[in-house]
Amino acid sequence: MSIRPIRLFGDPVLRTPAKPVVDFDKELRTLVADLTDTMIDAPGAGLAAPQLGVGLRVFTWQVDGELGHLVNPQLTLSEEIQDGAEGCLSIPGFSIDCKRALSVVAHGFDMYGEPVVVEGSQMLARAIQHETDHLDGIIFVDRLDREARKEAMRFIRESEWFGDPATQVKISPHATNGLGI
Ligand code: NI
């Protein structure tokens, strides 16, 4: 178990669709432990494997004091929508309102290969949607309307970490105020 550097916006791994997990082995369990440790340290509400540079369909969350993880998720989204602040640990220091489905049913597997179903609403639903997007190479700014996306891109361009490969490590431990996922 260890805390690992979080990849930041601009790193190609965040734009690469992750592959389904095939082997539910010790390596996967180490990955889940590293995701959990790194997410708690950040602190964040969720973390996806590509954010640690690993192209596998795995993520963790920490919402309302509950820790969880999911492997190879398949989501069913509610038609009802929520709107509220969202951030990303790969864009430290930025958050903005983002529309998401209000609730979600996620089918997948735990790290031992057992099928699991996770049902969530509000923040848990937001985190699960955000992390599943990461597995598809989607970053939450892609979900924003035009004006909000421009604001996000302006923030990113003006960030000192942007485009600097030396600052792949996290910059400010509490910059996302726990909103980062
Ligand atoms: Ni994120």
Side-chain angles (χ1 to χ4, degrees), residues 25-61:
D25 53 10
K26 189 167 176 292
E27 208 174 316
L28 176 67
R29 293 191 284 280
T30 301
L31 174 61
V32 171
D34 288 355
L35 282 165
T36 303
D37 288 353
T38 306
M39 172 183 69
I40 289 171
D41 177 68
L47 192 64
Q51 292 178 281
L52 295 185
V54 179
L56 289 173
R57 301 186 74 81
V58 187
F59 63 76
T60 57
W61 69 84

Side-chain angles (χ1 to χ4, degrees), residues 9 83-87 91 94-100 126 130 133 138-156:
F9 188 100
D83 196 7
E86 187 163 322
I91 309 176
F94 184 76
S95 68
I96 196 164
D97 284 0
C98 181
K99 288 191 176 64
R100 294 284 188 182
R126 181 178 293 280
H130 180 113
D133 274 352
I138 295 167
I139 299 174
F140 90 106
V141 296
D142 304 346
R143 300 280 186 195
L144 302 174
D145 64 31
R146 196 160 164 274
E147 280 307 306
R149 192 165 56 243
K150 274 167 75 176
E151 192 180 326
M153 292 313 297
R154 197 178 311 125
F155 176 90
I156 289 164

Side-chain angles (χ1 to χ4, degrees), residues 80-159:
E80 215 178 329
I81 298 295
Q82 60 174 316
D83 196 7
E86 187 163 322
C88 181
L89 293 174
S90 296
I91 309 176
F94 184 76
S95 68
I96 196 164
D97 284 0
C98 181
K99 288 191 176 64
R100 294 284 188 182
L102 177 63
S103 57
V104 63
V105 180
H107 285 82
F109 299 86
D110 69 12
M111 59 183 158
Y112 304 102
E114 295 296 324
V116 290
V117 181
V118 180
E119 293 184 47
S121 62
Q122 307 287 350
M123 190 60 196
L124 179 55
R126 181 178 293 280
I128 288 172
Q129 290 169 79
H130 180 113
E131 301 315 330
T132 303
D133 274 352
H134 273 305
L135 306 183
D136 293 327
I138 295 167
I139 299 174
F140 90 106
V141 296
D142 304 346
R143 300 280 186 195
L144 302 174
D145 64 31
R146 196 160 164 274
E147 280 307 306
R149 192 165 56 243
K150 274 167 75 176
E151 192 180 326
M153 292 313 297
R154 197 178 311 125
F155 176 90
I156 289 164
R157 276 195 309 273
E158 290 170 0
S159 298

